[in-house]
Amino acid sequence: MNFFKLPFLLKLALAIISIIGIGYLLMLGQSILAPFFLAFLMAMLFLPLATFLERKLKFPRSMSTMTSLMIMLIILTGLIFFFGSQLSSFSKDLPHLTQQFNTVFKNLQRWVSDTFDVKINEQLDYIDQGLNKLLSSSGVILGFTFGIFTTGMGFLFFFILFFIFILNYRRILNNFIINVFNEKHKSSVQEVVTEVRIMTKRYIFGLCLQVIIVSTLTTIVLSLLGVKFAILLGVLTGLLNVIPYIGICISLLISCFIAFATGTLSTCVYVMIGYIGVHVIDGNIILPFVVGSKVKINALFSFIGILIGEHLWGISGMFLCIPAIAIIKIIFERVEGLKPWGRLLGEEEKPHRKKKSYKISKNITLKEMD
């Protein structure tokens, strides 16, 4: 039975049932699938290095895999050390930030008291009640904190294992994907797998390059404005920028708060203008040039993907949803019958302007030909 020859309503019903089933399985397998997908993305990023070590330096497959793993762990350790040192210096300014926050909080209390006729003492009672309820559930808080820690350690453990396995057994996985289809489709499947692998590798590399460029631009802007912790805020902005629209807004709020706590209100305005400029440059120059328009996701499905990713996998889902949608778009655009879905996920193609041709009739009328 050919799926693409079925009636539209039947195809729609099957598609909806499939989406619901896949979503449910993704939610159940979060602890395994999330580190697996991240390991797959990192394996695609380090695949050229592993191939170079095997072909040029004649490394065994296991040796090239472990070398790639060591390089990745060194980079991750460097990032952790960087954030740790920056947060250490940031903690020294916490008293000043706390004082500034208290001033802003008191001003907010006066505004609430004047606007809603709620006395400051009543506001403090509400806050105390909320704090008492929170502190009374300290066991729940400790359990939640311990759960986050253990979940993070488990995520890292599975991520490293999957990274090793994917790089080490990539040929077996590739052959399985090709051989699982019919003999007459093997050539086309091989072509699709090759194109998807190349486009995915380019997309992930472009995404990492985008993070570096946005981090550098933001650091330069904040440094010129004299904002403290410019490097920390710049790197944080670059990483959060992976989450479209929402990430840049979160980093903007954090930067404005730091700028207001360590500077003046005018500095906050300049920071906001600077972030808008960086976002415009990123969206119109960096993203199309570095990441490429072929895998660019439109704003509607980027936002929907972020919401679905957060619902399925939490914070990790918000970061991984955009690469996942990009890979799905690449596959859809190369499978007959799914191309309309691929175009739906992408940006609107600008129509090519054709030269106007005119035809002169016997009564000397001009007609424009499309």
Side-chain angles (χ1 to χ4, degrees):
M1 181 184 293
N2 192 345
F3 174 79
F4 301 108
K5 293 182 179 179
L6 295 176
F8 173 76
L9 291 179
L10 183 57
K11 289 194 293 184
L12 181 62
L14 292 174
I16 293 174
I17 294 173
S18 301
I19 291 172
I20 294 174
I22 292 172
Y24 182 69
L25 292 176
L26 288 174
M27 185 179 295
L28 287 180
Q30 173 188 354
S31 58
I32 301 298
L33 295 177
F36 176 81
F37 184 63
L38 181 60
F40 168 76
L41 296 179
M42 290 296 102
M44 290 297 102
L45 186 62
F46 281 87
L47 182 59
L49 174 62
T51 304
F52 172 80
L53 293 175
E54 293 171 15
R55 294 181 179 177
K56 301 296 182 181
L57 302 182
K58 305 301 180 182
F59 276 32
R61 177 65 59 86
S62 58
M63 185 67 70
S64 66
T65 300
M66 296 309 296
T67 304
S68 302
L69 176 64
M70 291 302 298
I71 294 174
M72 184 188 66
L73 291 179
I74 289 172
I75 295 174
L76 291 178
T77 305
L79 286 174
I80 294 173
F81 177 77
F82 166 76
F83 277 107
S85 60
Q86 291 291 317
L87 290 174
S88 177
S89 59
F90 175 74
S91 63
K92 297 177 182 178
D93 278 357
L94 275 179
H96 179 70
L97 294 174
T98 304
Q99 182 181 1
Q100 187 71 21
F101 176 77
N102 290 334
T103 303
V104 174
F105 182 69
K106 290 178 181 178
N107 293 333
L108 180 63
Q109 279 185 322
R110 294 192 188 95
W111 179 80
V112 171
S113 178
D114 297 336
T115 306
F116 300 101
D117 196 23
V118 179
K119 296 180 181 180
I120 295 178
N121 293 332
E122 295 178 357
Q123 297 177 32
L124 294 176
D125 290 339
Y126 294 146
I127 295 174
D128 290 337
Q129 291 176 7
L131 289 175
N132 289 331
K133 290 180 181 179
L134 188 64
L135 293 175
S136 63
S137 58
S138 57
V140 177
I141 296 173
L142 291 175
F144 179 72
T145 305
F146 180 74
I148 291 177
F149 178 76
T150 54
T151 303
M153 294 301 294
F155 186 96
L156 181 62
F157 176 74
F158 283 120
F159 164 71
I160 293 174
L161 283 182
F162 285 137
F163 180 84
I164 296 172
F165 292 150
I166 291 173
L167 271 185
N168 207 38
Y169 298 108
R170 59 183 183 270
R171 188 173 299 168
I172 295 177
L173 295 174
N174 182 75
N175 292 335
F176 167 75
I177 295 174
I178 295 172
N179 294 325
V180 79
F181 290 93
N182 251 343
E183 187 72 28
K184 61 180 180 179
H185 298 305
K186 278 189 178 180
S187 58
S188 58
V189 171
Q190 175 67 63
E191 183 181 350
V192 170
V193 170
T194 303
E195 290 182 1
V196 168
R197 187 175 68 247
I198 293 173
M199 293 296 294
T200 303
K201 181 175 61 180
R202 290 177 180 175
Y203 175 75
I204 299 303
F205 179 76
L207 203 62
C208 294
L209 195 57
Q210 181 195 15
V211 169
I212 295 173
I213 295 174
V214 171
S215 301
T216 305
L217 289 177
T218 308
T219 302
I220 293 173
V221 170
L222 295 178
S223 299
L224 292 176
L225 294 175
V227 179
K228 286 188 175 182
F229 315 109
I231 300 177
L232 174 63
L233 295 174
V235 175
L236 185 65
T237 301
L239 293 175
L240 289 176
N241 193 58
V242 176
I243 307 175
Y245 310 106
I246 296 179
I248 194 73
C249 293
I250 295 174
S251 57
L252 173 61
L253 291 176
I254 297 174
S255 299
C256 285
F257 176 76
I258 299 297
F260 179 71
T262 58
T264 60
L265 182 60
S266 59
T267 307
C268 291
V269 178
Y270 294 140
V271 167
M272 190 177 299
I273 295 173
Y275 265 78
I276 293 174
V278 171
H279 181 63
V280 170
I281 294 173
D282 174 50
N284 295 280
I285 298 177
I286 300 174
L287 188 62
F289 180 74
V290 176
V291 178
S293 58
K294 291 184 178 180
V295 291
K296 189 176 180 182
I297 313 300
N298 64 59
L300 173 63
F301 284 94
S302 296
F303 187 71
I304 293 175
I306 291 170
L307 296 179
I308 295 175
E310 194 280 332
H311 179 71
L312 293 177
W313 290 353
I315 297 176
S316 61
M318 296 178 70
F319 282 95
L320 296 175
C321 66
I322 301 302
I325 296 175
I327 294 172
I328 292 172
K329 178 177 180 291
I330 293 170
I331 297 174
F332 281 0
E333 288 180 341
R334 282 155 181 79
V335 176
E336 195 65 35
L338 296 177
K339 290 182 178 179
W341 295 92
R343 297 191 191 101
L344 179 66
L345 297 175
E347 291 283 355
E348 182 179 1
E349 296 181 358
K350 295 182 180 179
H352 298 286
R353 292 184 178 181
K354 297 182 179 180
K355 293 182 179 180
K356 296 179 180 179
S357 59
Y358 298 92
K359 181 180 179 182
I360 303 177
S361 61
K362 292 183 179 180
N363 56 356
I364 318 178
T365 60
L366 299 178
K367 184 179 181 181
E368 184 179 346
M369 305 295 293
D370 293 330

